[in-house]
Amino acid sequence: MEKINQALFLFLNASEHPSVALVMLAQGLADYAIWIAPAVLILGWLRGNESIRRLMLEATASGLAALLINQMIGLVWQHPRPFMMGLGHTLMSHVADSSFPSDHLTLLWAVSFSFLMHRRTRAAGATLALLGLPIAWARIYLGVHFPLDMAGAAMVAGFSAWLCAREGYRLVEPALRLITAVYRVLFAPFIRRGWMKQ
């Protein structure tokens, strides 16, 4: 399996003399596209009603739980990144920690898979899930991840989204009440002007 993983990496990784435009595109996707997920969560909270806010909190819990699972995997099994093995070409700096699974993709897909489990957020979930594909390519292309790191991210994200959909109400309901109360106090002037929903 590791040989297939490395062969796929070398196929997708940048060449020795890559296109400047392609490198810039990959760097933008690899570094900045992930911020779309928290932006969607915040916008959903600010513009949504209570049921939408509940789904935003469930998706947030899914993302955080997935990242925690990743940390646990990293403690149990350290898999080197391509540049730590002297493999391929590395076009972005990254700390030399375990590559499996990808934290970027795990977070994005944990949020998107959570959205996919509910009819009202399914379109946003599908859009975010598809956005993960070019991000996955970019991080492999730039030399900081292997393809199997992305497959691992999908598995962790799927499990986390399922777990939070099934058991998340234990955390989401009390968190919703607390966060809503704090939100209404902190943003009272904006709520009164109608800029934000109560």
Side-chain angles (χ1 to χ4, degrees), residues 101-155:
S102 164
D103 285 335
H104 272 69
L105 266 293
T106 298
L107 175 61
L108 181 72
W109 279 337
V111 170
S112 65
F113 293 171
S114 180
F115 284 170
L116 285 168
M117 293 189 169
H118 304 282
R119 183 184 55 80
R120 297 185 69 184
T121 53
R122 201 158 286 153
T127 303
L128 286 176
L130 289 173
L131 175 64
L133 298 177
I135 294 175
W137 162 80
R139 297 186 72 78
I140 297 166
Y141 181 81
L142 295 172
V144 295
H145 274 292
F146 286 103
L148 282 185
D149 299 339
M150 307 312 172
M155 288 187 288

Side-chain angles (χ1 to χ4, degrees), residues 8-139:
L8 282 172
F9 167 77
L10 290 172
F11 176 74
L12 294 169
N13 184 229
S15 64
E16 189 173 355
H17 303 290
S19 157
V20 173
L22 201 55
V23 171
M24 288 177 65
L25 172 64
Q27 288 175 337
L29 287 166
D31 282 335
Y32 303 112
I34 187 63
W35 293 102
I36 293 173
V40 168
L41 293 169
I42 292 168
L43 186 61
W45 175 273
L46 294 176
R47 304 304 301 168
N49 57 24
E50 186 173 322
S51 66
I52 290 294
R53 288 177 178 172
R54 187 176 286 108
L55 297 180
M56 296 302 108
L57 283 180
E58 182 182 305
T60 301
S62 175
L64 294 174
L67 290 176
L68 179 61
I69 293 169
N70 274 11
Q71 295 304 307
M72 293 166 63
I73 291 171
L75 290 173
V76 174
W77 183 54
Q78 288 279 326
H79 188 278
R81 293 181 183 274
F83 61 83
M84 296 164 69
M85 302 167 65
L87 198 64
H89 302 100
T90 307
L91 302 178
M92 71 179 288
S93 59
H94 200 288
V95 64
D97 59 356
S98 181
S99 73
F100 183 90
S102 164
D103 285 335
H104 272 69
L105 266 293
T106 298
L107 175 61
L108 181 72
W109 279 337
V111 170
S112 65
F113 293 171
S114 180
F115 284 170
L116 285 168
M117 293 189 169
H118 304 282
R119 183 184 55 80
R120 297 185 69 184
T121 53
R122 201 158 286 153
T127 303
L128 286 176
L130 289 173
L131 175 64
L133 298 177
I135 294 175
W137 162 80
R139 297 186 72 78

Side-chain angles (χ1 to χ4, degrees), residues 46-47 53 182-198:
L46 294 176
R47 304 304 301 168
R53 288 177 178 172
V182 172
Y183 162 78
R184 286 175 178 166
V185 170
L186 290 179
F187 295 97
F190 304 105
I191 293 169
R192 281 196 300 272
R193 290 181 175 90
W195 298 348
M196 297 177 180
K197 287 196 174 182
Q198 184 171 344

